[in-house]
Amino acid sequence: MEESTDFQYNLMSLFADGGMMMYALVLCSLIALGVIIAKAWTLWVAHRDTDRILAEVQELTEKGRIDDAIRVAAGTPGPAAAILLAGLRRIRQGEVRAGEIEQAVSTIGTIELGFLERGLVILATIANVAPLMGFLGTVAGMILAFGSIELAGDVNPTLVAGGIKVALLTTATGLLIAIPVNLGYNFFVSRIDKLIIDMEQGTQQILNLAWDMEQAGTLVITGVAVPRGPSSMPRPDATSASEPVSPIGPDADDSQLYDGAGD
């Protein structure tokens, strides 16, 4: 019990000796810990049922049970299930535009990827900033230590060693925070890469299903997918941009435009 009390006292003493920068470093560590716990849970849930959902949807679609496959995908969390759900809902319509299925799964994939990567910027920032904050605390501590030596007027080895020890505390703390945060960041990136492969498998499964149904005549693909956005809007030609166009028509004369204007 006494050893535990001494250990706690030593930690508090070291924390106090580190100066104001220790508060910022502790705050960074708490934020990083919260993000790591939340991200670990999110990625575990996202990957938990991926293999099962891919196999089950494949089995149901091979039997032509599209509605059952949609219910299974809707009841399963994860990016692969979301992609399967988006594709199956459009396939169930029986008639889609060319490229509509690809556009739907691509949009869902982008949204899911953004959700999976949420929080990684925070971890990367803390992993990079924590050592710099530690170095800043060390520099500030060294400045104070040399200031104390200057005031003492004598180079006392004990005074110099004590000042350097206190100054290096923030550097050690910053590195202790940055190393596990960096490891966690790299681990999460590798897990997200695995989930991207799962999403690609789901996309390929949907495209294969659409191809098989089209060949069997149960899915009709018509026309060409019209791109959305400003690029799909008609552009006026040079003539219409420089000359006003009659609201009645190009063959209308002045009498049609101004009929009754003088009454």
Side-chain angles (χ1 to χ4, degrees):
M1 183 66 179
E2 184 177 354
E3 293 181 357
S4 176
T5 304
D6 292 340
F7 178 73
Q8 293 177 359
Y9 173 77
N10 290 333
L11 286 180
M12 295 302 297
S13 177
L14 291 174
F15 179 83
D17 291 341
M20 295 298 297
M21 193 60 66
M22 295 292 288
Y23 291 95
L25 290 172
V26 170
L27 178 61
C28 288
S29 66
L30 294 177
I31 294 174
L33 180 61
V35 172
I36 288 174
I37 294 175
K39 183 56 62 178
W41 171 259
T42 299
L43 295 182
W44 179 76
V45 172
H47 182 68
R48 178 180 54 183
D49 296 325
T50 298
D51 294 336
R52 179 189 62 82
I53 186 66
L54 290 174
E56 192 168 350
V57 169
Q58 178 71 27
E59 181 181 357
L60 291 173
T61 53
E62 288 178 352
K63 297 178 181 179
R65 298 165 57 184
I66 303 298
D67 291 335
D68 292 338
I70 290 176
R71 281 192 291 270
V72 171
T76 305
I83 286 179
L84 291 173
L85 180 61
L88 290 171
R89 282 176 172 172
R90 282 155 181 81
I91 289 176
R92 183 177 59 178
Q93 298 174 2
E95 181 176 348
V96 295
R97 298 191 311 271
E100 181 179 352
I101 297 176
E102 292 88 339
Q103 183 180 5
V105 297
S106 177
T107 301
I108 294 297
T110 302
I111 295 173
E112 291 294 328
L113 183 59
F115 176 74
L116 293 175
E117 292 179 344
R118 186 183 304 172
L120 291 183
V121 174
I122 298 176
L123 293 181
T125 301
I126 292 177
N128 291 324
V129 170
L132 298 179
M133 295 174 65
F135 293 147
L136 178 60
T138 296
V139 171
M142 293 294 291
I143 292 174
L144 294 177
F146 282 111
S148 300
I149 295 173
E150 182 181 8
L151 292 176
D154 185 18
V155 180
N156 188 343
T158 303
L159 183 62
V160 174
I164 294 176
K165 181 196 75 171
V166 172
L168 292 177
L169 286 175
T170 55
T171 298
T173 304
L175 293 175
L176 286 175
I177 294 173
I179 291 173
V181 170
N182 198 20
L183 292 175
Y185 173 84
N186 291 330
F187 173 75
F188 292 145
V189 169
S190 65
R191 297 300 297 173
I192 291 174
D193 290 340
K194 179 63 174 64
L195 288 170
I196 291 175
I197 295 176
D198 295 338
M199 289 190 288
E200 291 177 351
Q201 291 177 350
T203 300
Q204 190 61 45
Q205 186 171 325
I206 288 296
L207 296 179
N208 291 339
L209 175 62
W211 169 262
D212 293 339
M213 293 182 65
E214 183 186 12
Q215 297 301 310
T218 55
L219 178 65
V220 178
I221 299 179
T222 61
V224 178
V226 179
R228 298 179 180 178
S231 60
S232 63
M233 299 178 62
R235 294 178 176 272
D237 54 21
T239 303
S240 61
S242 59
E243 299 178 1
V245 179
S246 168
I248 297 179
D251 297 329
D253 54 21
D254 292 341
S255 62
Q256 290 176 298
L257 290 175
Y258 298 100
D259 186 20
D263 293 344

